[in-house]
Amino acid sequence: QVQLVESGGGLVQAGGSLRLSCTASRRAFSSYAMGWFRQAPGKEREFVAAITWSGGYTNYADSVKGRFTASRDRAKNTVYLQMNSLKPEDTAVYYCAAKLDPSEPFAYWGQGTQVTVSS
C-alpha cells in the first residue's frame, strides 16, 4: 500500500527557509517519482516540484524555480523540499504525492503540512 507522511511545515518570515520531508512506504519508494504540490485557500492545487527516485531528476514550477530544491534520500525512504527565499504567496498546504509509473498521474497523496510565510 502507498503511504505518504509529510512533516516540516510551520511559520516562517518572508525571506526565510523551511525544509519539508515526506516519508514514503516501501511501495511508494518503489514508485517512479515523488512530487510536491500545494494548495492555498480558494485556489486550485498546483504543482511545485517532482523528483525521480532512480536518477534524482527534478522538475520545478516556474514560480519556485531557483528558490526550492527537491531531493531524496533513498536509504531513508524520504524526499525533501528545501524552500529558500520564501514569500507570502508561498503560503499553502503542501502535499507529497507519488507517481507509480511514468504513464499515470500523481495519484497517491499525503495528508498535507501547513506552510505559512509572514511578511
Side-chain angles (χ1 to χ4, degrees), residues 4-73:
L4 307 171
V5 180
E6 304 99 330
S7 63
L11 176 64
V12 65
Q13 291 186 342
S17 298
L18 206 61
R19 188 178 76 161
L20 305 183
S21 299
C22 176
T23 299
S25 66
R26 293 171 67 180
R27 174 87 185 272
F29 178 69
S30 298
S31 68
Y32 168 69
M34 302 293 289
W36 289 99
F37 294 74
R38 66 187 183 187
Q39 187 168 25
K43 296 186 177 181
E44 298 292 324
R45 184 175 297 182
E46 66 174 337
F47 170 79
V48 176
I51 183 168
T52 63
W53 278 115
S54 296
Y57 298 107
T58 55
N59 187 36
Y60 301 96
D62 289 341
S63 60
V64 305
K65 184 76 174 182
R67 299 189 298 120
F68 291 9
T69 303
S71 62
R72 87 271 197 248
D73 187 332

Side-chain angles (χ1 to χ4, degrees), residues 68-101:
F68 291 9
T69 303
S71 62
R72 87 271 197 248
D73 187 332
R74 299 176 69 180
K76 295 182 177 180
N77 292 11
T78 300
V79 296
Y80 304 95
L81 185 67
Q82 178 66 46
M83 304 184 293
N84 298 326
S85 302
L86 283 162
K87 305 174 181 179
E89 49 263 46
D90 294 319
T91 295
V93 177
Y94 283 70
Y95 297 90
C96 178
K99 181 193 287 283
L100 299 186
D101 188 271

